[in-house]
Amino acid sequence: MITVNFVDYMRRETAGYEILRPAGSGDYLFLCFPLPMRFSHMGPSPGQEILLTQKHACILLAPGDAHWFCGNPEFLNSFIHFNDPQDQVGRFGVPTGRLFYPTGFERLNSAALTIKEELLTGG
């Protein structure tokens, strides 16, 4: 069974705020970027490729996937941290570690809000 550890919807941070996890987050992490963000699989070190996403980008990161991201300039994202002890992630058909741009981004992004509301109300 998949268990959600932490979720937020349309979380805004201050300009210059960045997330750096050189050893991953320790769980699966699904990110939605409503606005362009700067993203790297290895962090903002010299020689590392930093990608500028387009708006409506998503990525699914496995527990050990290194990542760094920050706003460009605005920082706005929705995210779901979760565990998958029975290895069910494959059934979603989404490869880990690759940015993608889904059709119906708003519906996918709003899943974070639905999950957050269910956790808050005990659903």
Side-chain angles (χ1 to χ4, degrees), residues 95-114:
T96 58
R98 283 205 325 234
L99 287 165
F100 64 98
Y101 297 86
T103 307
F105 171 85
E106 293 302 330
R107 189 184 67 197
L108 190 56
N109 185 43
S110 69
L113 177 59
T114 301

Side-chain angles (χ1 to χ4, degrees), residues 54-71:
Q54 300 299 312
K55 67 179 192 172
H56 300 159
C58 292
I59 191 165
L60 174 62
L61 298 165
D65 289 350
H67 58 278
W68 168 87
F69 58 96
C70 70

Side-chain angles (χ1 to χ4, degrees), residues 1 3 8 23 47 52 58 64 66 69 71 83 86 95 101 104-105 110 118:
M1 172 189 281
T3 55
D8 208 350
L52 177 58
C58 292
F69 58 96
N83 289 327
Q86 296 172 339
Y101 297 86
F105 171 85
S110 69
E118 286 181 5

Side-chain angles (χ1 to χ4, degrees), residues 15-80:
Y17 187 83
E18 60 184 59
I19 301 287
L20 173 60
R21 296 186 181 111
S25 64
D27 53 9
Y28 281 94
L29 172 57
F30 183 72
L31 292 161
C32 291
F33 298 133
L35 300 175
M37 298 282 278
R38 291 183 291 152
F39 180 88
S40 173
H41 288 287
M42 299 303 289
S45 21
Q48 297 299 327
E49 180 181 22
I50 296 177
L51 305 169
L52 177 58
T53 72
Q54 300 299 312
K55 67 179 192 172
H56 300 159
C58 292
I59 191 165
L60 174 62
L61 298 165
D65 289 350
H67 58 278
W68 168 87
F69 58 96
C70 70
N72 189 57
E74 291 184 71
F75 186 109
L76 180 68
N77 73 328
S78 296
F79 58 85
I80 306 167

